[in-house]
Amino acid sequence: MRRTSPGLPTYRRRAQRAGGARAMRRANAQLAALLLARTEQLSVLTRHLIAVSEDEKARLARELHDELGALLTVIDMDLQNVLQQLRAREPTLVRLLERARGQVLQTLALKRRIVDNLHPSMLDHLGLRAALQHYCHEFCSISALACRCELDPTADWLPPGAAMAVFRIVQEALTNVARHSGARRVVVRLRRGAAGLHLHVDDDGVGIADSALAAAQSYGLLGMRERALLLGASLCIARKADGQGTGIDVMIPMPERRAAAGSEQGGASTVRRRAADAGIRSSRSGSTRRPGAPGPGGPGS
């Protein structure tokens, strides 16, 4: 192989450098595409794992509520019957049975708390606002922290998956406040803005350390970030400017309700058009029903 001589013309040296730069750009582009593909795969896997986890929690909550709850209720009823029969004759046994019944009732209350932590049924039946208010109330009673909720009614417009993600973010945020902050007060605020919903959780504790924000073992913070990413939201966790407490901000994009209402009206119009078309086809096929007479499923059926 012939060596490049020191006297190689300048344009050839420039061509060699340009070729090397093009090869480097191609390699960087390939690495960037590979990184993007791997990131997308991890995002898909994360969404799948979160969905599977929530489904499993919902299944466990149903089983605990239906099976364990029913068994404990039957035990409580049997104890009440025995207590009524023995109350006048066996006061010593009655005291023991009343203590046993008290433990059964405590177990029922514990079961309800476990079921709510696994899958908040109130979220399905009453919406995000009611579920957050109930959880904050329970959080106050257990942690002895003063918790104030300021929740916009538009929070209930979120679809179920997004509402669950917001609920889990608030749940993890309050858990971190109770465990690490040493706070006395915490505020949960959810308001509608021009870009969507703004979730803000604020406490008056010692403030989060920079090392905790960057720690790979901060699984709670990582979970909050992943859920925010799945919402297409931005999440910011930082010590407040005065150093007293931590602020968590999540900006959740949210479509205009009028668009949703328009789609509902469009869907209703489609249904009406299909019903009218079906009526026309029915009349053309030889139906003998008088116009305006009630058909199957109408009045009188």
Side-chain angles (χ1 to χ4, degrees):
M1 180 176 180
R2 188 173 58 183
R3 287 188 171 184
T4 302
S5 64
L8 190 67
T10 302
Y11 75 90
R12 295 187 62 184
R13 290 199 299 271
R14 289 178 178 175
Q16 288 178 349
R17 286 197 297 269
R22 285 194 296 270
M24 182 66 70
R25 285 195 295 270
R26 284 196 298 268
N28 288 339
Q30 291 173 355
L31 288 174
L34 181 61
L35 179 61
L36 184 62
R38 291 289 186 266
T39 302
E40 179 62 26
Q41 290 173 356
L42 287 175
S43 179
V44 171
L45 178 61
T46 300
R47 286 195 293 269
H48 174 70
L49 291 177
I50 289 177
V52 169
S53 174
E54 292 297 344
D55 290 344
E56 184 66 13
K57 287 179 180 178
R59 184 187 65 81
L60 289 174
R62 284 193 300 269
E63 290 187 0
L64 284 173
H65 179 270
D66 297 340
E67 303 295 333
L68 183 60
L71 290 173
L72 290 172
T73 302
V74 169
I75 293 173
D76 180 50
M77 294 172 62
D78 289 343
L79 286 174
Q80 289 186 68
N81 291 332
V82 174
L83 282 169
Q84 290 177 0
Q85 296 177 16
L86 297 179
R87 192 171 297 279
R89 293 177 297 161
E90 300 286 348
T92 303
L93 288 177
V94 166
R95 285 194 296 272
L96 292 174
L97 289 173
E98 285 178 342
R99 187 172 65 182
R101 181 169 180 257
Q103 293 174 346
V104 170
L105 295 177
Q106 290 179 5
T107 306
L108 276 169
L110 176 62
K111 185 268 302 178
R112 282 193 292 270
R113 287 200 300 272
I114 293 174
V115 167
D116 285 340
N117 286 332
L118 283 172
H119 186 81
S121 59
M122 192 173 290
L123 187 64
D124 298 331
H125 300 115
L126 299 179
L128 180 60
R129 290 180 67 212
L132 286 177
Q133 288 170 346
H134 174 73
Y135 182 79
C136 289
H137 177 74
E138 291 293 318
F139 175 80
C140 288
S141 62
I142 294 174
S143 65
L145 282 170
C147 182
R148 187 172 83 248
C149 283
E150 301 173 5
L151 306 176
D152 195 284
T154 56
D156 290 333
W157 298 357
L158 285 172
M164 177 62 77
V166 172
F167 182 87
R168 294 299 188 197
I169 290 174
V170 173
Q171 190 177 39
E172 184 60 39
L174 294 182
T175 299
N176 287 339
V177 169
R179 287 180 179 175
H180 308 298
S181 72
R184 293 173 298 174
R185 293 183 298 275
V186 62
V187 177
V188 177
R189 187 178 297 116
L190 188 59
R191 291 180 177 174
R192 180 69 186 261
L197 282 176
H198 177 205
L199 171 65
H200 179 74
V201 182
D202 185 288
D203 68 74
D204 62 350
V206 297
I208 191 168
D210 294 337
S211 58
L213 288 173
Q217 290 79 20
S218 299
Y219 298 114
L221 300 182
L222 291 174
M224 292 167 63
R225 291 192 182 101
E226 288 298 326
R227 291 184 184 276
L229 286 174
L230 296 181
L231 287 172
S234 62
L235 181 141
C236 177
I237 306 172
R239 184 194 295 261
K240 292 196 291 187
D242 57 2
Q244 298 296 317
T246 302
I248 300 174
D249 291 280
V250 185
M251 289 300 303
I252 306 156
M254 190 175 176
E256 293 291 338
R257 189 169 187 179
R258 68 170 65 96
S263 65
E264 291 176 0
Q265 292 173 0
S269 300
T270 302
V271 171
R272 287 194 294 269
R273 285 196 302 271
R274 290 177 178 174
D277 292 343
I280 292 172
R281 286 195 297 270
S282 176
S283 63
R284 288 176 177 175
S285 63
S287 173
T288 59
R289 191 167 62 235
R290 291 180 292 107
S301 62

